[in-house]
């Protein structure tokens, strides 16, 4: 054989090897997804909603407006909600599937072992079981068939339409959507708002730092005078309730710890699954007497997790029964907050205590372990309840794991609810969401409500979550009501607060009328009329601050600091006293307010501390001068705002880190900024001198700013943390990284460290003008022009119209009634 | 078809390539190569192989035939590329096989890649600009479009 033939043979072999290598290596998967022309991912680049869709429930049309908000019109409600499901699935299919995976504990099936602990928690809590119990009840209610129609619409779109990019990237297709999945979304948002293991953290702090520190740093009541139902808030109360007058029983026994100390591991682990830090909201109502129109105005912006795409989805539904537009969570058919032809409704979080933890004596089924509290739920078979030993109710549940071995998890439950275990510490958990709730029915009825009377009746069914409902209607009526069921706990017959661990074996603090994973009578809970409320208040502000100074019953202690509430009340008071109308523009401008009350509390003292500090450097003096001239507004182009932001974090660390670090408590255990700002100057926490700690913190802050080369607040306070779930792997899916205004304490709320902020802004005059904005866009399709078309406007505090008019133009989608054989 | 493809059929300009792969005849066309390796191949192969070899040489040297063959290669290559990413390699190989020189083959493969990107952008329509921002996955698309046909075109070194 000649040299040339050999050369050619070798070349041919090399080429063949190259092709073979590409085919069998990881490159093959990449190429199958992303090669030009044949790559499956690119199928998602030119998705287009079908112009004609068969609808088993009847005719309907869909028209998208200039912001990708669908108007669904139908003569039959079920036909309309099939179409709602269809368009929601087209616009947000991946978000829908991801959320239910989280709640069902099926994330690891997609992403592998990294999310196994998350799945284990969600399986242990059996949210799916709670959703099933709820669906059994909702199915027979008028909303039930509409939820079914909606679920069918979601499934039809998932099966018929091209799936969005995320499915192509991950290489899977979603399963059928069920009504229980929709109910799971109700459980998810309720958990995000009320899932709070604060009593466990309090127990850890008491154990590590002592009871005195607990009382000083974590007071059950912050010292301020702007509760929601502040002095001067008028409004009537329902017969049988005083709406917050107080009967002295709310805290008749404090939350003193009588049980074993809680292990930090359990509290820290569970805190991963609680409400994200900073979750809260603003809403306020001003009666028509103070606006320039005919009626009252409601302004609302919920501060929830900011993400790509947004948590909320805007939709407009027109049926003979209602005309409603507003925001809902993808996966939920009905408008959760918005307006119909008569009224507008909004919700902020109460901070109510609707979750309790119980400890038990436990043993193996042979009784060999006796009353060993350290036995974990994993090992124990029985727990003592009263005078008898009861077997845990158990159920095996599989957790599939991608590229790994599937796991089997044993769910254990007591009479109170599911059992959670970590590092040898075990608690039983009772949460009001663990029973059949009627919130879906309530929201459906809100859509169809015709004035305050209707809405008030429907609010009785709003079992979960505990929210500050703010409502106004076109008749000029206004209302504030705490929704959700509030448990009453008793020990030896006396009412007690819930921010403590209870002895489950002794039956302490049990909720009468509560049946976990079944249907509850609620007969031992706070009666509807006795919950905090005000009918026809003139002006009322909710910003997650304390509901009332002396409520009739214990509500909770997880209230926000009062900075936002105080600022909004202050601005409204000023406006009303000036005689200027509180019109739409005023409310939108107030939502954009960046004044930080923490700065007003602390900066004057900081400036004084620097002035009185011997040997202060020129940099310190310059920074103090800039802070002295500052207007306390956390705006992106402000240098003093940057200095204050970094100084506050440094000051917090200066004050608390030494003692907390010694106690092995990380910064997540630090007290809130109101406590820090109001600690007396001679407090031991300042280790000698508050002024010195302030100056030290300023030096550290300036060093950090210099090191990071930041110049203005917007250099640090950016939208970068607003991420897509796969933003790390595919960063193009994230929104742009832009400088942002606002802080944790400003009305224009943005928390860069936890990616929480104004997740929806709306200003509505019932029956009149309405505007709203999303932090991103209405579509979750990266290739859609509506993926991020509201993002800049949201950053700048602008809003777009949210009217309920219907275009005359041709529909984007025509849903046609299926033939008889195909109909249901 | 790209400019480099069409010029490859008409007018090789590299003297060294001309000496290796073929000689210009009186009509300006390129005659079959007569270097030692080709002669050796012809001596040692069967008549049917020699016929194929002759056909291939004519495709490479006759400008009209070459143009038709190149067009066919591009059309078939695009169709294959639509079906599977291996089609990009196959397309490059087809373009390479009809090229008169190795250099032309590589340029042809690259040209085919550019054509694929143009067709790809056209199929994406309004989303093309958005797709351009999908880093890093768009790098796979561009890399595959340019790299795989060039890789396939290297088959010209073999035959």
């Amino acid at each position: 054989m000649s040299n040339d033939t050999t050369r050619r043979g070798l070349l041919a072999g090399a080429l063949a090897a190259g092709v073979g290598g590409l085919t069998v290596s990881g490159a093959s998967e990449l190429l199958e997804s992303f090669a030009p022309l044949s790559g499956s991912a690119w199928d998602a680049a030119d998705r287009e909603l079908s112009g004609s869709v068969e609808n088993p429930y009847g005719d309907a049309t869909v028209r998208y407006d200039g912001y990708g908000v669908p108007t669904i019109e139908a003569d039959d409600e079920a036909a309309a909600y099939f179409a709602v499901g269809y368009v929601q699935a087209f616009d947000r299919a991946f978000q829908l599937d991801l959320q239910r995976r989280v709640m069902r504990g099926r994330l690891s099936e997609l992403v592998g072992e990294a999310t196994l602990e998350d799945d284990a928690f969600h399986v242990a809590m059996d949210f799916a079981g709670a959703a099933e119990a709820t669906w059994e009840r909702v199915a027979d209610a008028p909303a039930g068939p509409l939820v079914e129609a909606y679920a069918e619409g979601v499934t039809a779109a998932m099966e018929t339409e091209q799936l969005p990019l995320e499915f192509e990237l991950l290489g899977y297709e979603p399963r059928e959507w069920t009504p229980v999945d929709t109910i799971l979304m109700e459980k998810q948002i309720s958990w995000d708002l009320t899932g709070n293991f604060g009593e466990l953290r309090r127990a850890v702090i008491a154990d590590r730092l002592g009871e005195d520190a607990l009382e000083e740093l974590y007071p059950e009541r912050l010292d301020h005078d702007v509760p929601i139902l502040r002095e001067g808030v008028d409004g009537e109360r329902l017969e049988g309730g005083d709406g917050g007058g107080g009967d002295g029983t709310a805290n008749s026994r404090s939350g003193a710890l009588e049980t074993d100390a809680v292990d930090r591991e359990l509290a820290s682990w569970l805190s991963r699954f609680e409400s994200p830090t900073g979750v809260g909201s603003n809403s306020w109502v001003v009666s028509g007497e103070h606006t320039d129109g005919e009626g009252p105005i409601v302004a609302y912006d919920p501060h929830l997790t900011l993400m790509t795409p947004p948590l909320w989805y805007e939709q407009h539904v027109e049926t003979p029964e209602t005309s409603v537009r507003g925001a809902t969570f993808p996966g939920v058919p009905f408008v959760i907050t918005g307006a119909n032809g008569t009224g507008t409704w909004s919700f902020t979080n109460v901070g109510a205590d609707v979750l309790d933890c119980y400890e038990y004596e436990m043993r193996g089924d042979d009784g060999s372990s006796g009353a060993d509290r350290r036995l974990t739920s994993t090992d124990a078979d029985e727990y003592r309840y009263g005078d008898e030993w009861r077997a845990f109710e158990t159920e095996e549940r599989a957790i599939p794991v991608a590229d790994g071995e599937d796991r089997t998890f044993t769910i254990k439950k007591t009479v109170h609810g599911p059992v959670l275990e970590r590092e040898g510490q075990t608690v039983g958990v009772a949460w009001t969401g663990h029973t059949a709730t009627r919130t879906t029915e309530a929201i459906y009825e809100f859509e169809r409500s015709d004035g305050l009377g209707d809405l008030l009746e429907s609010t009785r069914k709003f079992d979960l979550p505990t929210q500050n409902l703010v409502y106004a209607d076109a008749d000029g009526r206004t209302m504030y009501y705490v929704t959700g069921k509030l448990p009453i706990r008793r020990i030896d017959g006396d009412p007690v607060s819930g921010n403590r661990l209870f002895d489950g074996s002794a039956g302490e603090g049990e909720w009468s009328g509560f049946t976990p994973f079944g249907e509850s009578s609620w007969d031992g809970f706070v009666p509807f009329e006795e919950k905090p409320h005000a009918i026809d208040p003139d002006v009322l502000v909710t910003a997650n601050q304390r509901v009332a100074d002396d409520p009739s019953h214990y509500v909770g202690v997880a209230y926000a600091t009062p900075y936002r509430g105080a600022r909004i009340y202050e601005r409204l008071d000023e406006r009303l006293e000036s005689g200027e109308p509180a019109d739409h523009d005023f409310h939108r401008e107030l939502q954009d307010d960046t004044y930080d009350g923490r700065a007003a509390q602390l900066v004057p003292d900081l400036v004084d501390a620097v002035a009185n500090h011997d040997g202060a450097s020129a940099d310190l003096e310059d920074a103090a001068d800039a802070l002295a001239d500052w207007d306390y507004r956390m705006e992106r182009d402000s240098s003093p705002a940057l200095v204050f932001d970094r100084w506050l974090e440094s000051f917090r660390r200066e004050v608390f880190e030494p003692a907390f670090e010694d106690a092995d408590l990380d910064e997540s255990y630090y007290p809130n900024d109101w406590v820090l700002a109001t600690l007396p100057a001679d407090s031991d926490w300042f280790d000698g001198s508050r002024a010195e700690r302030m100056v030290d913190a300023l030096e550290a802050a300036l060093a950090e700013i210099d090191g990071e080369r930041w110049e203005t607040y917007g250099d640090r306070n950016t939208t970068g943390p607003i991420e897509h779930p796969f933003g790390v792997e595919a960063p193009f899916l994230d929104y742009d990284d832009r400088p942002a205004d606002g802080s944790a304490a400003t009305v224009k709320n943005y928390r860069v460290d936890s990616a929480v902020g104004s997740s929806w802004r709306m200003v509505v005059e019932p029956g009149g003008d309405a505007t709203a904005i999303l932090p991103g866009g209405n579509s979750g399709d990266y290739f859609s022009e509506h993926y991020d078309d509201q993002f800049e406007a949201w950053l700048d505090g602008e809003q777009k119209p949210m009217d309920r008019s219907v275009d005359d133009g041709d529909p984007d989608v025509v849903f046609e009634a299926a033939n008889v054989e195909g109909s249901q | 078809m790209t400019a480099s493809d069409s010029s490859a059929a008409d007018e090789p300009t590299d003297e060294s390539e001309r000496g290796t792969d073929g000689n210009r005849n009186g009509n300006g066309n390129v005659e079959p190569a007569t270097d030692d390796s080709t002669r050796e191949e012809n001596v040692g192969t069967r008549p049917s192989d020699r016929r194929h070899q002759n056909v291939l040489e004519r495709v490479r040297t006759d400008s009209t035939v070459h143009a038709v063959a190149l067009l066919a290669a591009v059309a078939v290559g695009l169709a294959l590329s639509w079906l599977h990413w291996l089609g990009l390699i196959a397309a490059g190989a087809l373009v390479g096989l009809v090229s008169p020189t190795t250099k032309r083959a590589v340029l042809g493969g690259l040209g085919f890649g550019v054509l694929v990107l143009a067709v790809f952008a056209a199929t994406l329509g309004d989303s093309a600009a958005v797709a351009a921002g999908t880093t890093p996955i768009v790098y796979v698309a561009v890399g595959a479009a340019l790299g795989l046909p060039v890789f396939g075109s290297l088959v010209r070194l073999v035959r």
Side-chain angles (χ1 to χ4, degrees):
Chain A
M1 188 178 286
S2 72
N3 287 341
D4 188 68
T5 304
T6 304
R7 180 182 66 85
R8 290 172 188 240
L10 285 173
L11 282 169
L15 286 171
V19 173
L22 283 171
T23 307
V24 300
S25 70
S28 174
E29 283 182 28
L30 277 177
L31 290 166
E32 279 172 16
S33 295
F34 309 124
L37 301 180
S38 66
S40 58
W42 306 115
D43 293 342
D46 55 353
R47 301 172 74 225
E48 194 168 337
L49 192 52
S50 302
S52 177
V53 176
E54 203 170 77
N55 185 342
Y57 294 93
D59 294 338
T61 59
V62 174
R63 292 175 175 82
Y64 281 96
D65 72 8
Y67 288 93
V69 178
T71 292
I72 299 100
E73 202 174 9
D75 289 335
D76 179 87
E77 277 193 304
Y81 284 103
F82 178 90
V84 167
Y86 201 94
V87 294
Q88 276 194 18
F90 184 79
D91 290 330
R92 300 288 187 94
F94 182 67
Q95 191 176 15
L96 282 167
D97 191 58
L98 195 64
Q99 288 174 165
R100 72 171 161 175
R101 281 183 176 280
V102 169
M103 293 303 283
R104 286 186 179 279
R106 302 289 291 250
L107 259 188
S108 302
E109 186 178 23
L110 266 192
V111 300
E113 300 207 358
T115 52
L116 204 49
E117 282 201 8
D118 293 50
D119 283 346
F121 171 80
H122 288 92
V123 169
M125 287 290 281
D126 197 14
F127 292 112
E132 284 165 12
T134 297
W135 172 242
E136 278 184 31
R137 177 160 191 168
V138 173
D140 297 329
L146 305 182
V147 174
E148 285 187 274
Y150 168 88
E152 284 186 46
V154 171
T155 301
M158 286 176 165
E159 290 177 349
T160 308
E161 302 290 342
Q162 167 64 47
L163 292 167
L165 182 62
E166 290 90 338
F167 289 101
E168 301 294 349
L169 293 175
L170 292 166
Y172 82 101
E173 292 185 359
R175 299 185 181 94
E176 174 191 10
W177 189 266
T178 67
V180 174
D181 292 327
T182 284
I183 302 298
L184 262 179
M185 300 302 99
E186 174 199 315
K187 300 296 180 189
Q188 180 183 44
I189 190 60
S190 299
W191 177 257
D192 283 349
L193 292 168
T194 64
N196 185 314
F197 294 101
E199 56 264 63
L200 299 184
R201 273 195 306 281
R202 290 178 66 86
V204 170
I205 290 161
D207 180 52
R208 303 290 176 91
L209 298 175
E211 288 285 348
D212 290 344
L214 180 69
E215 284 183 26
E216 183 180 14
L217 301 182
Y218 303 89
E220 293 190 356
R221 175 170 163 168
L222 296 178
D223 182 22
H224 66 79
D225 57 1
V226 283
I228 293 170
L229 294 169
R230 67 172 180 173
E231 196 173 321
V233 167
D234 52 2
E236 297 175 5
R237 307 291 188 260
L238 296 184
E239 196 172 329
D242 61 13
D247 61 6
T249 62
N251 295 302
S252 57
R253 282 179 64 164
S254 73
L257 296 164
E258 296 171 356
T259 52
D260 288 351
V262 170
D263 193 286
R264 191 182 69 88
E265 291 298 325
L266 178 66
S268 296
W269 179 63
L270 293 177
S271 68
R272 288 175 45 192
F273 309 107
E274 292 180 289
S275 308
T277 304
V279 159
S281 310
N282 304 322
S283 76
W284 61 87
V285 60
V286 173
S287 74
E289 191 179 330
H290 307 294
T291 64
D292 64 348
E294 296 291 316
I297 291 179
V298 168
Y300 175 45
D301 61 300
H303 310 156
L304 302 175
T305 299
L306 298 172
M307 55 194 208
T308 313
L311 197 63
W312 297 94
Y313 180 82
E314 187 177 355
Q315 64 185 38
H316 172 200
V317 179
E318 289 281 334
T319 65
E321 288 79 11
T322 190
S323 163
V324 61
R325 179 165 179 167
T328 186
F329 297 114
V332 175
F334 310 118
V335 168
I336 292 173
T337 178
N340 63 13
T342 309
T344 181
W345 55 96
S346 65
F347 304 96
T348 64
N349 204 21
V350 171
D353 187 351
V354 296
L355 183 152
D356 282 348
C357 293
Y358 303 85
E359 287 195 318
Y360 307 94
E361 293 175 24
M362 294 177 288
R363 69 178 189 184
D365 56 4
D366 59 356
S368 58
S369 297
D372 182 1
R373 283 176 185 272
R374 309 309 298 179
L375 199 60
T376 73
S377 66
T378 307
D379 302 322
D381 302 297
E382 298 179 336
Y383 64 101
R384 187 176 69 77
Y385 184 62
D387 295 331
E388 61 181 13
W389 287 91
R390 292 194 178 190
F392 288 106
E393 184 185 329
T394 62
E395 184 185 344
E396 302 278 307
R397 197 75 62 85
I399 302 179
V401 181
D403 303 324
E405 192 178 332
D406 292 356
R407 307 292 203 280
T408 301
F409 189 91
T410 303
I411 301 174
K412 289 194 173 185
K413 295 174 183 171
T414 68
V415 293
H416 302 108
V419 170
L420 300 176
E421 180 272 338
R422 186 78 175 176
E423 302 287 334
Q425 185 84 31
T426 301
V427 292
V429 178
W431 175 54
T432 51
H434 270 141
T435 189
T437 49
R438 299 168 295 170
T439 305
T440 299
E441 296 172 54
I443 287 292
Y444 166 62
E445 291 178 11
F446 278 23
E447 281 194 345
R448 298 160 54 109
S449 63
D450 187 22
L452 189 143
D454 277 1
L455 193 106
L456 192 55
E457 273 310 296
S458 301
T459 304
R460 291 176 183 274
K461 298 178 183 171
F462 205 112
D463 297 331
L464 176 86
T466 37
Q467 296 286 286
N468 297 301
L469 165 62
V470 171
Y471 174 81
D473 69 21
D475 294 331
R477 305 290 305 274
T478 61
M479 185 181 83
Y480 164 74
Y481 223 106
V482 168
T483 69
K485 298 297 186 186
L486 295 173
I488 297 175
R489 299 92 169 164
R490 295 180 191 278
I491 295 180
D492 300 331
D494 296 328
V496 296
S497 58
N499 57 333
R500 50 176 293 151
L501 273 164
F502 292 105
D503 185 340
S505 290
E508 278 186 352
E510 290 187 335
W511 303 351
S512 174
F514 179 73
T515 306
F517 305 99
E519 199 163 314
S520 297
S521 69
W522 305 110
D523 56 13
F525 285 64
V526 174
F528 183 75
E529 292 77 8
E530 295 176 24
K531 291 197 295 183
H533 67 274
I535 309 295
D536 291 322
D538 192 39
V539 177
L540 185 135
V541 174
T542 81
N544 318 109
Q545 76 273 41
R546 183 170 64 246
V547 170
D549 284 340
D550 296 300
S552 308
H553 300 273
Y554 168 76
V555 176
V557 295
Y559 297 121
T561 54
Y563 298 109
R564 287 179 289 114
R567 177 65 177 171
I568 299 166
Y569 261 132
E570 179 190 4
R571 291 283 312 273
L572 288 173
D573 290 345
E574 284 175 4
R575 186 73 173 189
L576 270 47
E577 284 168 14
S578 75
E580 289 282 309
D583 56 11
H584 287 258
D585 286 341
F586 169 78
H587 292 291
R588 282 191 286 267
E589 189 273 325
L590 180 49
Q591 286 181 329
D592 204 36
D593 188 293
T594 56
Y595 180 87
D596 195 319
R598 299 173 304 178
Q601 275 179 311
L602 290 163
V603 166
D605 290 348
L606 170 61
V607 171
D608 286 346
V610 173
N612 297 325
H613 183 70
D614 291 335
S617 67
D619 285 347
L620 276 181
E621 288 179 350
D622 289 347
D625 289 346
L627 286 169
D629 294 337
W630 180 41
D631 59 3
Y632 307 146
R633 291 180 184 276
M634 304 298 285
E635 296 187 346
R636 64 190 93 165
D637 58 356
S638 167
S639 294
L642 171 65
V643 173
F644 173 71
D645 174 69
R646 303 323 300 148
W647 171 80
L648 183 58
E649 184 161 317
S650 186
F651 183 50
R652 203 181 292 130
R653 206 164 43 238
E654 282 280 336
V655 174
F656 297 121
E657 188 175 67
F660 279 65
E661 201 169 63
D662 288 347
D664 194 23
L665 296 173
D666 63 29
E667 60 189 23
S668 67
Y669 286 88
Y670 290 179
N672 66 49
D673 288 338
W674 181 270
V675 169
L676 173 64
T678 56
L679 277 176
D682 59 355
S683 168
D684 290 342
W685 291 99
F686 294 122
D687 192 22
S689 167
R690 181 175 185 251
E692 281 181 23
R693 296 291 79 70
M694 285 183 153
V695 173
D696 290 349
L698 186 57
E699 284 175 341
L702 294 179
E704 182 193 14
I705 290 168
D706 189 48
E708 296 286 348
R709 300 179 184 275
W710 290 325
E711 291 185 356
T712 63
Y713 185 51
D715 291 339
R716 139 114 180 126
N717 200 57
T718 75
T719 58
I722 305 178
E723 292 179 331
H724 185 281
F726 293 100
V728 173
E729 295 81 3
F732 61 87
L733 290 170
D734 293 339
Y735 294 141
D736 290 344
D737 191 354
R738 301 292 307 279
D741 301 325
S743 73
T746 56
V747 177
K748 186 178 189 178
N749 202 255
Y750 183 65
R751 299 163 188 251
V752 68
D753 294 323
S754 55
V756 166
S758 300
S759 59
W760 162 257
R761 291 193 192 103
M762 114 185 156
V763 173
V764 180
E765 179 181 350
D769 291 343
T771 55
I773 197 81
L774 280 173
N778 214 36
S779 174
D781 179 356
Y782 172 74
F783 294 98
S784 165
E785 63 181 310
H786 305 301
Y787 187 67
D788 57 2
D789 57 348
Q790 300 181 49
F791 191 63
E792 293 291 336
W794 171 80
L795 262 177
D796 295 338
E798 299 165 3
Q799 297 186 24
K800 62 174 188 55
M802 193 186 83
D803 61 70
R804 289 174 295 99
S805 60
V806 180
D807 287 344
D808 294 333
D810 291 337
D812 294 295
V813 190
V814 174
F815 287 84
E816 294 173 315
N819 57 32
V820 176
E821 289 77 19
S823 64
Q824 304 206 350
Chain B
M1 192 165 66
T2 65
S4 62
D5 292 329
S6 58
S7 65
D10 298 336
E11 197 175 24
T13 55
D14 187 317
E15 290 300 323
S16 64
E17 286 178 8
R18 201 179 295 163
T20 303
D21 294 335
N23 296 306
R24 195 179 295 274
N25 63 19
N27 298 326
N29 290 328
V30 178
E31 291 179 339
T34 55
D35 64 344
D36 292 345
S37 63
T38 308
R39 276 197 299 273
E40 188 179 350
E41 245 180 38
N42 289 341
V43 169
T45 52
R46 291 169 300 177
S48 62
D49 289 343
R50 282 200 297 276
R51 273 201 304 278
H52 291 149
Q53 189 76 20
N54 290 337
V55 170
L56 201 51
E57 291 302 336
R58 188 169 171 230
V59 163
R60 289 170 178 170
T61 54
D62 185 307
S63 61
T64 306
V65 177
H66 174 73
V68 171
L70 191 60
L71 274 174
V74 167
V76 172
L78 275 176
L80 293 174
S81 301
W82 222 292
L83 297 174
H84 197 273
W85 61 266
L86 282 170
L88 291 164
I89 298 177
L94 288 173
V95 170
L97 279 174
V98 302
S99 296
T101 67
T102 302
K103 183 177 177 184
R104 296 285 167 99
V106 171
L107 287 173
L110 198 59
F112 180 81
V114 172
L115 177 66
V116 164
L117 286 177
V119 173
F120 178 49
T123 60
L124 293 179
D126 294 341
S127 298
V130 183
T134 59
T135 55
I137 65 173
V138 72
Y139 296 151
V140 179
V142 174
L146 300 178
L148 294 183
V150 167
F151 180 66
S153 72
L154 295 179
V155 75
R156 181 65 179 81
L157 288 167
V158 179
R159 198 174 172 93

